[in-house]
Amino acid sequence: GPAEAALPVLTAAAALRESSARCPDYRLADGEDGREALSGLVGVFARTRPGVLNADPVDESDGGLWMETFARLTGGAVETMPELLGPAAVSSVNELCDCLYVPLKQWCAYQILQVYARDAEPLQSGDDDVAIPPGTERALSAWRDGMDGEEANELEEDVLVAAAWLPERIMSLLEGIAAESDPSHPDSRPPARLMGDLLAWITTLDALDAAGSVDMRNRSSISGYIKKTGALGCIMNAALRVADLDVLKDESIFSCVEVGGRDDFVLQRVAALAVFRSVESLPTLVKTWYGDDCPRFLRQRLGNFVENVVAPATLERELDRIKSATSFGDMSVKGSLVSREVTATYYQDECQLSVTITMPRTFPLRNVEVDCEKTKGVADNRWGRWALQIMLMLNGKDGSILDALLLWKQNVDKEFEGVEPCPICYSVLCIKTHQMPNLECTNCHNKFHTTCLYKWFQSSGKSVCVLCQQPWSGRRV
């Protein structure tokens, strides 16, 4: 079979990789030949029946040597040549997602998928070329039922962005998990199935972060899609019931999925990581679930875990991202793990603009506080609007501190150029789309973001101008 035929190549590749580890200047199978060889081996692994890839390395006749050798190669390739493993991961991405549900294949499949998920490249590119999977098309049709045109278009845009970055199999999982889960027995799934769900979920969150690093609007769109699927509540409910949340201060929450941590690759540790990554990457969705749907007996457990593990680690990782950011220009940003504060100072037209963001010990279960009072040379109502912008992004839009500060700087620049903010969200640039106000009331001539205005129409039940209260008659500008 394919596995037996590939065994000599696999064994040689593993041996060469181990030799190259002792020779820093040696590059294993570099170039197109290397990518093709790895893609072929990953394809054989992903498509071969688990019975052939036996876990017992002693019994060579039934494929045990193949699986053990492939695991060694995978671990080495993830650490030393992810640029060659990336194309292999993408070429078999959906089959690898299926492998997450096969105990024998879970570790290798997850390691390879991480190379795809952390690469800041979409699986599909170009707005006109992104194909929405058939199952997602059906889900989208059901979700759009009863929506007005603008809301439906916004949802379709979210789905298109998600389809560009997420594999079809993962989208199918996210859309089906809520329907398949039993709210009264969330822990009724077999361990292998739950382990697969959690690994696929962590992969999703890593892809979300990679997409957000390219364009913060991607984060908003993909989190909007995830919210629509209802998957987060099901994952949190199941993960919290089995997770080992007793993480020591000197122990990494990520050790269970690191190449050297195969002994920790167990359901209880992976479940803890799934909870951690959910809080870190989808803070607003987690906060909403915690406030509305989290079972009472899990609330204290989650609160303690957030305060003792997630919040300190998340702030530290966020400060590291801020230190390495190159897009601040002449804005200075500094932060402290002790005071849990991040302060940004920006000079514009002889005005000193300052914002201090304070993270509570249980963020995101409690909202951040934003203080712009140290700003000099700007009217109170103006810096008050800026504080609201940042709070809205951090407390309601799954944004990071880095994203919020960059958007604040862009808004400040636009305001000093004379652009008036939207009277609904108090921001020049729409938090989700980054568009400027583009709908003008023909009566009072105030301008609004399209998204903000139609959401206001929907929530108020009236089609009148927010400010002049006359029946809406507007034009695009």
Side-chain angles (χ1 to χ4, degrees), residues 130-150:
V130 174
I132 298 177
T136 303
E137 283 278 16
R138 291 190 291 272
L140 177 60
S141 178
W143 294 335
R144 292 178 58 154
D145 189 32
M147 290 184 176
D148 62 43
E150 191 66 33

Side-chain angles (χ1 to χ4, degrees), residues 279-357:
V279 178
E280 182 181 45
S281 293
L282 296 170
T284 300
L285 294 187
V286 169
K287 180 179 67 176
T288 302
W289 175 79
Y290 177 80
D292 298 343
D293 300 312
C294 180
R296 183 172 298 178
F297 75 95
L298 292 177
R299 290 175 63 87
Q300 186 64 43
R301 195 160 191 255
L302 178 59
N304 290 340
F305 182 62
V306 168
E307 180 173 354
N308 297 325
V309 178
V310 184
T314 299
L315 180 58
E316 183 175 8
R317 282 154 65 88
E318 188 69 25
L319 292 179
D320 287 341
R321 282 193 286 265
I322 288 172
K323 288 177 183 177
S324 60
T326 58
S327 47
F328 283 136
D330 50 0
M331 179 171 69
S332 64
V333 182
K334 59 182 180 180
S336 168
L337 287 172
V338 177
S339 65
R340 302 189 59 80
E341 291 183 345
V342 177
T343 300
T345 304
Y346 183 40
Y347 291 90
Q348 178 67 270
D349 286 357
E350 299 182 356
C351 298
Q352 177 184 305
L353 314 177
S354 179
V355 57
T356 299
I357 301 171

